[in-house]
C-alpha cells in the first residue's frame, strides 16, 4: 500500500531569516495532483523555507523540515 496525497489542500510557505528563531508566512499554495506542491518566491536574504499544513478533521497537521537558502 502506498501513500497518496490530497489535492486542493491549502498549505502555507514560511520563511525564517538567518539568525532569527521564528518563521513568518510568505504565501499560501494549493496542492495539486497527488498532493504535489510547487511555488516560486524570490529569496532576498539568507534563511530557511518550509511548508506547513494546518490539518483537517481527518488528517493531522504537518510541518516540513526547513530548506536553507544562501543568497549570493
Amino acid at each position: 500500500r502506498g501513500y497518496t496525497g490530497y489535492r486542493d489542500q491549502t498549505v502555507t510557505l514560511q520563511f525564517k531569516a538567518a539568525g532569527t528563531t521564528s518563521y513568518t508566512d510568505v504565501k499560501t499554495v494549493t496542492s495539486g495532483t497527488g498532493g504535489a506542491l510547487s511555488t516560486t518566491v524570490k529569496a532576498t536574504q539568507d534563511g530557511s523555507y518550509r511548508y506547513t499544513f494546518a490539518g483537517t478533521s481527518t488528517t493531522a497537521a504537518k510541518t516540513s523540515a526547513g530548506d536553507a537558502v544562501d543568497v549570493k
Side-chain angles (χ1 to χ4, degrees):
R1 298 174 80 159
Y3 169 80
T4 301
Y6 295 107
R7 80 176 284 136
D8 298 326
Q9 299 299 304
T10 301
V11 178
T12 303
L13 178 69
Q14 298 181 320
F15 176 73
K16 179 180 74 164
T20 65
T21 58
S22 61
Y23 281 85
T24 58
D25 295 351
V26 175
K27 68 191 297 188
T28 57
V29 182
T30 302
S31 62
T33 303
L37 295 170
S38 179
T39 193
T40 303
V41 294
K42 182 175 182 175
T44 59
Q45 58 183 317
D46 294 350
S48 181
Y49 285 92
R50 71 181 185 185
Y51 280 117
T52 185
F53 172 64
T56 67
S57 60
T58 59
T59 306
K62 183 68 177 174
T63 299
S64 70
D67 286 321
V69 293
D70 181 19
V71 176
K72 301 286 185 184

